[in-house]
Each structure stands twice: as structure tokens, then as C-alpha cells.
Amino acid sequence: MTVNYEVEMDEIKQTIKQTLLIDRLKLEDITAEEITDDMILFGEELGLDSVEAFEVMVGMEEIYGVMVEDLPATELQIHLKNVQSIAELIMARKTKGTRGQ
């Protein structure tokens, strides 16, 4: 893993927390600093629902051009589990896109 990769991952995680979750979903009772990379987003910890999951997916497409329609629902649930898994999906899709695949 290179320093650039880690810097880019940190930037993506921060954007997910602030722009994709707090701003887009209008979360008022939590700050980006309070959302940890491994916090479960849907259900038990942050408490997001399926409508908010859809908003997260739309936001991923708008901000990063990452579309997830090709993923089976079970795989999509794994990728939307927490900030870390969303960031890894975005990085994987961005890398795949730059390789022309």
C-alpha cells in the first residue's frame, strides 16, 4: 500500500462521513468525527434504513461515478456495511475504471 493510496483512502472516508452521510442524509445528532471507520451504518449502530442506503448509493454515483447496480443484494450489503467498506468499494471501482476494464 502506498502513501498516496492511504491519503486518498483517508480523503474518501472523510467525504463519505461528512458529505455522503451527514450532509446528504441530514444527520443532525452526530459529527463526522464521531463516525468511526468500522461503525455499522445500517441497523444497530448508526441506525440508517433502506431509503438512506439508496441515498448513499446515489451519492456514491454523483460524487465518485461509482455505480453498484451490477452487484447482487447480498454483496451490496457487505460493501455498505461501514465507512471502511464503502471506501474500499469506491477505491476498487476507481482503480478498475482507470485500467479501462
Side-chain angles (χ1 to χ4, degrees), residues 6 47 72 75 91:
E6 291 184 22
E75 191 174 332
M91 284 295 285

Side-chain angles (χ1 to χ4, degrees), residues 33-48:
E33 293 76 25
E34 294 173 319
I35 300 173
T36 61
D37 294 349
D38 62 348
M39 176 183 277
I40 304 298
L41 301 179
F42 300 94
E44 52 198 64
E45 292 186 25
L46 192 56
L48 302 182

Side-chain angles (χ1 to χ4, degrees), residues 13-30:
K13 289 177 194 175
Q14 186 57 37
T15 299
I16 291 168
K17 292 173 185 177
Q18 185 63 52
T19 307
L20 205 55
L21 297 175
I22 293 177
D23 295 344
R24 186 172 189 92
L25 302 179
K26 298 179 177 38
L27 301 180
E28 297 175 348
D29 299 331
I30 194 165

